[in-house]
Amino acid sequence: MESTFVTKPIEKFQTFYNEQCEKELLGCSVCLEGLKNPHMITLCQHVFCQACIAQCVNHAEAATCPECRKPFKAEELRYSFRENTRLENLWNECKGTFKKQNRKRCRTECKKEYDDEHEMYYKAHYEKYYKLGKLDNPHSNPTDNYPLMDIKFPEAPVVTPTPAPIEPERHYADVYERINLSRDSYHGHGKHFHYSVEARDGVTLVNCKSDDKIVSARGEVAVTHCPLLGDINARDGARLTNSSARYVYCSRGSVWGNNSHVEEIDARDGIVIQNFQAKKLNSDRGTIEASQGISEVSSIAARDGATLSNVMVYSVSASRGEVIARSCTINNISAREGATLTDTTGSQLTVLRGKAELRGESVRALFESIEARDGARLYNSQITKEVDCSRGPVTAELSEIHTIKARSEINLTESTVNTISLNAVDSKAKLVLNESFVEGDIVITAPKAIDLWGGGVSVIATGNQSVSIIGNEVYINGVRVDRSSSSSIEPSHVNLTIEGKGHIKGKIIFDDCEGTIRCGDDIIIEG
């Protein structure tokens, strides 16, 4: 029985040796220790202990690589002279750097154990080759032409896939250096650390790290389980899964991400991410789709629109598209072609040319102000300041709104409004109240007088009137005024119709125009 004095240093030495093997990429991914009798699968260039690969293959239905799961044949498993030489050199280096007081005994005991294990391997395998006439010397190492014969490979035919275009020496020898392939793609698998990777036709990394940058001038970059990456620059797109990076840029493609963290993404053709953390997202020509718990986003800018779900963003802009959001918190939203928000809260919503729709299905939607040129529809919403629609109507149900500015028509259902400003079109204005209440005044505006004299034009307008002069033509609210008809136009007359059932506590004021009110029997006007 070995003494504690002998066993303890041996265990320490073995631990030290295994750690050095892992640093030098000489560890077995099956037993997680230093390689023993290393054998390489030539198809994928992965190296394992002979005992480990034999055990994995003998207990499996098909011969597949334990690391990348690629199927291989018996003749594709070879004894690795290069890896064995590196192990011998590393063993000698470890003996020299081990503690001085334990070096002599540990070196003797550990070397004996190491030689005994090799000797058992020689007897079990090398002599069999000699008996089969494969080798001239029973104590010589097997060559690359004679793979191991004791592994029981399945009888079913194994389809050999096309090998990935990688360089075996580069995959293991240069993992600490810069990777630069001017006419090829690069595939990195395993716990490798790269300073930088540049491959023209694409980069694929699995469980790797990169300190500086990853560049693909004509291909796509795909990273999986890469916890620490620098900048990614890919022309044709990028895919991130369970990874993190500082910056991702795609000059022609899109970015797809899942369960990852990136500080900033800039993709020309769009971004699709979920379970993601980012600070800034930008797409010059595409759309952005973001969902499921995206946090710490300061801004999202997408030319053709954005679709968001369960995210928190400071600002969202769509210069040519529509913004669709559900269960989000967004401070500022700017969209050109419209916005549809559900269960969303924020501060400012601006729609330059379309309509705004705000709905509260599970919770009440809350905004400070809404500005939509062509109209707004609100359901179960609260607007603390105003809803301004310069060219469209406003429809609200189960909502609380401080101020409404609309054109031609306002429809309220079980809602409360403080003040209303209604701009008449073609001398008509309409207000529909269904069990609704107006606390303040209702102001009706229309085009005011225009004075024409001496070839000059003088325009006086108030309220929400849109007045423009193009050449010698005058337009009020988009309607051209004929100068030759008269030198003076009298104040407009507006017909206001109030329908439904509701209560108006304030007054109805016609601002610089005359008016007639047609009111239903169920409308109460106190002012």
Side-chain angles (χ1 to χ4, degrees):
M1 181 175 179
E2 293 182 327
S3 63
T4 306
F5 180 81
V6 175
T7 306
K8 204 167 185 180
I10 292 177
E11 293 176 352
K12 289 183 178 179
F13 180 82
Q14 190 65 37
T15 302
F16 176 74
Y17 175 70
N18 290 335
E19 291 176 353
Q20 296 303 315
C21 287
E22 183 177 357
K23 290 181 180 179
E24 295 295 330
L25 299 175
L26 293 173
C28 177
S29 60
V30 178
C31 64
L32 302 180
E33 295 181 357
L35 289 168
K36 300 176 184 178
N37 306 322
H39 284 72
M40 177 185 293
I41 301 173
T42 59
L43 177 64
C44 59
Q45 304 296 324
H46 292 148
V47 185
F48 308 91
C49 301
Q50 185 274 336
C52 295
I53 187 63
Q55 183 180 6
C56 293
V57 174
N58 290 338
H59 291 80
E61 296 180 0
T64 59
C65 175
E67 188 165 340
C68 65
R69 303 303 179 189
K70 290 183 178 179
F72 63 94
K73 296 180 180 180
E75 57 269 18
E76 294 170 339
L77 184 64
R78 310 277 179 158
Y79 181 88
S80 178
F81 286 102
R82 181 172 61 86
E83 305 296 332
N84 190 65
T85 303
R86 293 176 63 190
L87 285 169
E88 292 291 344
N89 295 335
L90 182 62
W91 181 275
N92 295 327
E93 293 176 5
C94 290
K95 289 191 300 182
T97 57
F98 201 57
K99 290 185 177 180
K100 187 174 181 180
Q101 64 269 25
N102 295 327
R103 184 196 311 172
K104 184 176 181 180
R105 176 167 294 185
C106 291
R107 179 176 57 191
T108 303
E109 297 295 333
C110 293
K111 183 62 178 175
K112 182 177 182 301
E113 179 183 353
Y114 183 81
D115 291 340
D116 289 344
E117 187 170 355
H118 272 270
E119 185 177 355
M120 294 174 60
Y121 179 77
Y122 295 153
K123 292 180 180 180
H125 302 291
Y126 292 0
E127 292 182 2
K128 179 166 56 176
Y129 283 104
Y130 179 73
K131 292 178 182 179
L132 296 175
K134 298 292 185 181
L135 298 177
D136 296 332
N137 185 353
H139 299 291
S140 64
N141 291 331
T143 64
D144 288 345
N145 298 324
Y146 304 108
L148 292 179
M149 306 298 295
D150 60 315
I151 297 179
K152 299 176 183 178
F153 283 84
E155 297 180 358
V158 178
V159 179
T160 303
T162 303
I166 65 174
E167 298 180 8
E169 294 295 330
R170 184 183 303 281
H171 184 64
Y172 281 92
D174 297 340
V175 293
Y176 297 104
E177 305 297 331
R178 291 181 173 89
I179 305 298
N180 192 339
L181 304 177
S182 60
R183 295 185 179 181
D184 209 343
S185 60
Y186 177 75
H187 298 257
H189 297 269
K191 297 181 178 179
H192 302 324
F193 185 89
H194 304 85
Y195 180 76
S196 65
V197 179
E198 296 185 28
R200 188 191 70 172
D201 297 334
V203 177
T204 301
L205 300 179
V206 179
N207 198 15
C208 297
K209 296 180 181 180
S210 176
D211 185 51
D212 188 14
K213 60 183 179 180
I214 301 173
V215 180
S216 178
R218 296 185 182 181
E220 182 185 46
V221 172
V223 295
T224 303
H225 300 294
C226 297
L228 182 61
L229 300 175
D231 297 340
I232 297 176
N233 188 335
R235 190 191 73 168
D236 294 337
R239 301 176 67 87
L240 293 86
T241 304
N242 298 322
S243 303
S244 63
R246 289 193 299 264
Y247 175 71
V248 177
Y249 173 73
C250 297
S251 59
R252 293 188 183 182
S254 60
V255 172
W256 181 91
N258 182 24
N259 196 26
S260 299
H261 175 81
V262 177
E263 293 185 6
E264 183 176 351
I265 299 177
D266 190 352
R268 190 191 74 168
D269 295 335
I271 301 173
V272 180
I273 54 177
Q274 62 179 358
N275 293 325
F276 213 88
Q277 290 187 359
K279 292 183 178 180
K280 186 176 181 181
L281 306 176
N282 181 60
S283 179
D284 293 336
R285 297 186 182 182
T287 62
I288 294 179
E289 298 181 13
S291 62
Q292 301 302 323
I294 301 174
S295 60
E296 301 180 5
V297 181
S298 60
S299 65
I300 295 178
R303 190 192 73 167
D304 295 335
T307 302
L308 312 176
S309 176
N310 296 310
V311 300
M312 297 178 62
V313 189
Y314 181 79
S315 66
V316 177
S317 64
S319 59
R320 294 187 182 182
E322 181 183 9
V323 174
I324 301 174
R326 175 178 288 272
S327 302
C328 299
T329 301
I330 306 172
N331 190 43
N332 294 320
I333 301 176
S334 177
R336 178 183 179 183
E337 300 298 336
T340 302
L341 312 179
T342 304
D343 297 339
T344 298
T345 61
S347 176
Q348 175 70 35
L349 170 60
T350 303
V351 180
L352 300 179
R353 294 188 180 183
K355 296 182 179 180
E357 183 173 353
L358 186 62
R359 296 181 60 84
E361 294 181 353
S362 58
V363 295
R364 169 162 283 197
L366 176 63
F367 267 80
E368 288 186 6
S369 61
I370 296 177
E371 183 178 352
R373 191 191 72 168
D374 296 335
R377 294 178 60 88
L378 310 177
Y379 176 82
N380 192 21
S381 305
Q382 181 178 357
I383 310 301
T384 58
K385 290 185 179 180
E386 69 175 12
V387 177
D388 187 357
C389 301
S390 59
R391 296 188 183 183
V394 173
T395 302
E397 182 178 356
L398 299 174
S399 301
E400 296 180 9
I401 306 171
H402 185 271
T403 303
I404 295 180
K405 297 179 180 179
R407 184 182 184 185
S408 77
E409 183 177 350
I410 296 176
N411 194 322
L412 305 177
T413 302
E414 299 183 21
S415 300
T416 302
V417 181
N418 188 13
T419 58
I420 293 177
S421 178
L422 189 58
N423 186 16
V425 177
D426 296 333
S427 301
K428 295 180 180 179
K430 185 177 181 180
L431 176 62
V432 180
L433 303 178
N434 295 313
E435 302 292 341
S436 298
F437 181 71
V438 180
E439 296 182 356
D441 297 336
I442 299 176
V443 179
I444 309 299
T445 60
K448 197 183 175 182
I450 297 179
D451 297 326
L452 309 174
W453 73 91
V457 179
S458 176
V459 180
I460 303 174
T462 60
N464 289 331
Q465 299 174 16
S466 174
V467 180
S468 60
I469 302 175
I470 303 176
N472 293 326
E473 303 294 338
V474 179
Y475 295 85
I476 300 178
N477 290 337
V479 180
R480 185 177 66 85
V481 178
D482 188 3
R483 292 180 53 188
S484 61
S485 60
S486 175
S487 62
S488 177
I489 301 179
E490 297 296 331
S492 301
H493 187 278
V494 178
N495 294 319
L496 174 62
T497 303
I498 304 177
E499 300 178 354
K501 181 179 181 180
H503 190 176
I504 301 174
K505 190 174 182 180
K507 300 178 181 179
I508 299 177
I509 302 173
F510 291 89
D511 185 11
D512 292 331
C513 62
E514 299 176 352
T516 303
I517 302 176
R518 298 180 58 186
C519 186
D521 297 336
D522 294 329
I523 300 296
I524 301 175
I525 303 176
E526 293 186 6

